[in-house]
């Protein structure tokens, strides 16, 4: 049976608000250069008001991945939570304009506004990110439409949402509905510190609810509290049918059914590494959704990631199908 969606993601719906700023402005505003830090509502309002010539884009880790898959021409959906405010309507409209169905309408009432990340780009290319999670952090099982999940060939979960019990419940609801409909469910681990806070729950989810997992070497090592990457990959593969481990300039290792594929990458100096992992996931999941073999899935992921890091911003600027054709991937 043909499903409505090739891939549906669930994650933080964050509006990226971007402007340029020199070091003296960062110092004046007390912004720590080159890192991502979470801020509270009052601080977010001050920083937002201080931004000149700001540009806005629909962001969030899994949202970036879903946008990449849409760029590649597959039907996609995104489950996120935004407020019925100007930024919330902007986010929903921007996702729809990019070809991804924004499943849930903006939420009226309540006190929490739409999540936003105020990003100050320095002349040297450094990005100083100040993220207010807002209403997005309240995403829960009530936001999951089981019919949407069941109508997806693949669902993709964002590990960042694991910090709240409601997020964990939403993940399980999404994964079970998708798998009951014959689809595959998986996760981007997202953050080793999140793993350390919720290791037992992460391992239970991966072993009992998921078909694939994507993580970098630090995240997989954090899962099993080891400094030995080979041990971490082997233990992850023992509880999950498909594992993709990204290792920065050392390439990607994919493990499935006793098979191991190592995919090298072209080593370049990134202009902006933000979104590289999201881009890898986009290419990898495109390959998975279109029936490509493991090596091709890995090469597709590395190709999108390589394109993302060649410019400022977390999403590919180029036409990705054309890029894949250039490289003989499709």
């Amino acid at each position: 049976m043909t499903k409505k969606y090739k891939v549906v993601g669930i994650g933080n719906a964050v509006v990226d608000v971007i402007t340029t700023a020199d070091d003296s402005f960062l110092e004046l505003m007390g912004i720590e250069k080159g890192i991502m830090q979470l801020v509270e509502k009052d601080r977010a309002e001050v920083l937002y008001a201080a931004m000149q010539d700001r540009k806005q884009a629909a962001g969030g880790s899994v949202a970036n991945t879903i946008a990449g898959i849409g760029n590649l021409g597959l039907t996609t959906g995104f489950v996120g939570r935004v407020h019925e405010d100007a930024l919330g309507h902007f986010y929903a409209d921007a996702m729809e304009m990019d070809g991804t169905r924004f499943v849930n309408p903006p939420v009226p009432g309540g006190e929490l506004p739409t999540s936003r990340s105020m990003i100050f780009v320095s002349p040297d290319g450094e990005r100083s990110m100040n993220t207010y999670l807002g209403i997005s952090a309240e995403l829960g099982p009530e936001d999951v439409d089981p019919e949407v999940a069941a109508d997806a060939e693949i669902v993709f979960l964002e590990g960042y949402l694991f910090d709240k019990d409601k997020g964990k419940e939403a993940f399980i609801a999404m994964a079970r509905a998708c798998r009951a409909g014959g689809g595959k469910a998986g996760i981007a681990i997202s953050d080793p510190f999140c793993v350390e806070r919720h290791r037992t729950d992460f391992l239970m989810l991966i072993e009992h609810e998921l078909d694939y997992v994507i993580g970098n070497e630090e995240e997989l090592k954090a899962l099993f509290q080891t400094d030995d990457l080979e041990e971490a990959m082997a233990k992850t593969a023992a509880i999950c049918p498909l594992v993709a481990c990204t290792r920065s300039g050392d390439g990607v290792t994919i493990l499935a059914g006793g098979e191991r594929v190592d995919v090298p990458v072209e080593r370049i100096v990134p202009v902006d590494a933000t979104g590289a992992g999201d881009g890898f996931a986009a290419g990898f999941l495109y390959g998975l959704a279109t029936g490509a073999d493991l090596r091709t899935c890995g090469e597709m992921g590395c190709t999108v990631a390589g394109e993302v890091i060649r410019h400022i911003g977390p999403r590919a600027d180029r036409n990705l199908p054309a890029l894949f054709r250039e490289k003989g991937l499709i």
Side-chain angles (χ1 to χ4, degrees):
M1 183 180 73
T2 302
K3 293 183 179 290
K4 182 175 181 178
Y5 304 100
K6 282 289 188 180
V7 185
V8 173
I10 177 172
N12 281 307
V14 182
V15 177
D16 288 337
V17 187
I18 306 169
T19 192
T20 56
D22 58 24
D23 289 356
S24 61
F25 177 86
L26 299 181
E27 185 175 347
L28 175 68
M29 298 300 296
I31 297 169
E32 191 167 347
K33 184 177 179 180
I35 69 165
M36 192 286 284
Q37 54 189 347
L38 296 178
V39 298
E40 297 300 323
K41 182 180 177 182
D42 290 348
R43 172 72 168 163
E45 290 173 348
V46 168
L47 293 177
Y48 185 78
M51 302 180 86
Q52 301 294 320
D53 299 320
R54 54 186 177 236
K55 296 180 180 179
Q56 296 178 171
S61 178
V62 163
N64 290 335
T65 294
I66 295 299
I69 297 170
N71 183 321
L72 284 159
L74 299 187
T75 53
T76 54
F78 182 70
V79 176
R81 190 174 177 89
V82 298
H83 186 59
E84 194 179 46
D85 52 20
L87 283 181
H89 284 289
F90 167 81
Y91 192 98
D93 292 345
M95 292 295 286
E96 294 280 351
M97 286 179 63
D98 284 343
T100 292
R101 184 188 170 206
F102 191 73
V103 175
N104 300 332
V107 179
E111 297 180 357
L112 293 175
T114 295
S115 311
R116 75 285 309 265
S117 182
M118 281 68 66
I119 303 170
F120 298 87
V121 182
S122 308
D124 59 4
E126 287 273 13
R127 292 161 64 91
S128 306
M129 305 172 69
N130 301 263
T131 303
Y132 169 62
L133 290 178
I135 197 173
S136 183
E138 296 301 311
L139 187 145
E142 68 275 11
D143 297 301
V144 174
D145 183 340
E147 292 185 6
V148 171
D151 214 6
E153 292 186 15
I154 295 172
V155 297
F156 189 43
L157 317 175
E158 182 177 310
Y160 286 125
L161 279 173
F162 226 63
D163 263 330
K164 291 210 173 183
D165 288 341
K166 290 174 65 176
K168 296 174 188 177
E169 293 168 11
F171 280 4
I172 292 171
M174 191 92 172
R176 288 180 178 174
C178 176
R179 297 177 90 195
K184 296 182 183 296
I187 193 170
I189 297 177
S190 298
D191 181 58
F193 300 108
C194 190
V195 170
E196 290 170 6
R197 291 189 292 269
H198 307 281
R199 182 176 291 106
T200 300
D201 288 340
F202 259 114
L203 290 171
M204 289 287 290
L205 183 77
I206 291 169
E207 181 172 6
H208 298 293
E209 308 287 355
L210 302 183
D211 302 289
Y212 67 90
V213 60
I214 301 173
N216 65 32
E217 52 192 314
E218 295 305 321
E219 291 158 358
L220 293 188
K221 288 191 290 187
L223 272 178
F224 294 97
Q225 297 177 283
T226 178
D227 291 326
D228 186 332
L229 178 60
E230 292 297 326
E231 177 188 357
M233 290 193 297
K235 286 185 172 180
T236 309
I239 63 171
C240 190
L242 175 59
V243 180
C245 177
T246 59
R247 297 180 289 119
S248 192
D250 293 325
V252 175
T253 297
I254 303 169
L255 303 172
E259 180 182 359
R260 173 176 178 146
V261 176
D262 291 296
V263 180
V265 295
E266 177 188 358
R267 286 180 174 268
I268 64 171
V269 178
V271 174
D272 177 7
T274 308
D278 306 338
F280 172 80
F284 182 80
L285 292 179
Y286 172 84
L288 197 62
T290 55
D293 59 66
L294 293 181
R295 180 168 298 279
T296 302
C297 288
E299 290 174 347
M300 287 175 166
C302 292
T303 296
V304 179
E307 171 59 25
V308 167
I309 67 176
R310 282 174 162 84
H311 63 84
I312 290 178
R315 299 183 180 182
D317 280 347
R318 289 191 60 184
N319 178 292
L320 292 178
L323 181 60
F324 278 14
R325 282 191 289 271
E326 282 178 25
K327 292 185 174 292
L329 295 172
I330 56 175

